[in-house]
Amino acid sequence: MVTLKVIFWICLFLVFYTYLGYGMLLWALISMKRLFKGKPQKAQLPSDEELPEVTLMVCAYNEQDIVDAKMENTHQITYPKLHVVWVTDGSNDATNERLAKYPDVQVIYSPERRGKTAALNHGLGEVKDELIVMTDANTMLNPEAIQEIVRCFMDPQVACVAGEKRVAARHDGQAAAEGEGLYWKYESTLKRWDGELYSAMGAAGELCAIRRSLYEPMPENALLDDFVMSLRMVDKGYKIAYTSDAYAMEYGSADLTEESKRKRRIAAGGLQSIWWLRGMMNPFRQPLVAFQLISHRVLRWSITPIALLLLIPLNVALVLLKGGTIYYWIWILQIIFYFAAFLGYYLEKHGKKNKLLYIPYYFLFMNLNVFRGMAYLKSHKSNGAWEKARRG
């Protein structure tokens, strides 16, 4: 019974630490840092004449329906020295024809669809500017986004800048979008605190920027190209800055079936990335980086979902073996949690919503897709192309 109890408490600790404890610890650490160094201050931008040239690069596959909206949004960006490049990867619709209407756009076209990573490698091999801002075709940027990203690059130790991802629901009651939005609000908070402690742990492809000279071409079967690309720079001793003043807005997935496509791919890419970046988990190389990477990323993509699953049979066994009153109470709490998740699922399926009940449902949904991601990774080992999730 002692062994069962030890395993149970380890699993419970992992689940708590991964989803709540790390955020609490992070807040305590940056609060202490502020006592000694104060709050971080924004860097000053040089005059317009001295601002660096920047390339905004959009990797796209069959995005004819969004080209005009994306270009309208791009023309609203206030940065004075901006070059716009679209890399169209195997597009066989009217994407290139739509882009031809815009004389200020450089189109880099590859007739074969090989995936986003191949498009990135291709595009970054063609552009000349040192600062490259990457964004998706279906994400809309705030007008000041590029200025705020350049501001972060005033620090020579910053190799990559992660902008904030914001998710909107197209209509009220769109459960998948609202669940994704709640998740990204929490994730953005962790990224901001990570960046203040030392470095953000990865950048999202919806809006991220890099120094081109530090980019290393990636294997074309990379599933999380943005994450691997940015963490490789941290591995070299640089930092990822995070700014919520530059943000990308997109609609959430149309429904949970579409959202599952994204979560499976992200989970599969997370497992792939853990293996590729395993050297960064060595605490003797960069102790703080190893701590942040394991706490924020590695646990949620690997052992914590397994620990969450194991809590059920372990708790039942300890109740049946009369391990102690505390195990009865924890089992009751687990029953309440899973029942709430079921109610959230039931209401979502019947077109109703309850945010309080939807949180446990979406939490379990995310963890279930880690296991689905394992199967996805096995079937996509040699191919970085993936099926796009339909947005709301």
Side-chain angles (χ1 to χ4, degrees), residues 197-211:
L197 181 64
Y198 177 69
S199 170
M201 288 294 107
E206 287 80 5
L207 180 57
C208 71
I210 62 167
R211 297 187 192 272

Side-chain angles (χ1 to χ4, degrees), residues 206-256:
E206 287 80 5
L207 180 57
C208 71
I210 62 167
R211 297 187 192 272
R212 183 176 57 84
S213 59
L214 296 176
Y215 178 79
E216 294 180 3
M218 293 178 293
E220 292 186 4
N221 64 329
L223 296 172
L224 284 187
D225 48 87
D226 43 13
F227 181 76
V228 174
M229 170 185 66
S230 56
L231 263 292
R232 279 180 168 181
M233 295 177 181
V234 175
D235 197 28
K236 292 178 180 178
Y238 293 93
K239 299 178 182 179
I240 302 169
Y242 180 82
T243 174
S244 57
D245 294 325
Y247 59 85
M249 180 72 74
E250 69 176 348
Y251 289 114
S253 300
D255 53 46
L256 285 172

Side-chain angles (χ1 to χ4, degrees), residues 102 135 149 224 272 343 351:
Y102 300 95
T135 182
I149 286 171
L224 284 187
Q272 183 189 62
L343 285 179

Side-chain angles (χ1 to χ4, degrees), residues 6 37 53 63 82 104 132 154 163 179 184 208 215 222 278 298 350-351:
V6 169
K37 296 188 176 182
E53 304 278 342
E63 297 286 3
L82 187 65
D104 56 334
I132 314 295
M154 293 296 101
W184 273 104
C208 71
Y215 178 79
R278 59 192 181 278
V298 174
H350 288 79

Side-chain angles (χ1 to χ4, degrees), residues 85-96:
V85 174
W86 282 63
V87 184
T88 60
D89 174 58
S91 292
N92 52 22
D93 64 352
T95 298
N96 291 343

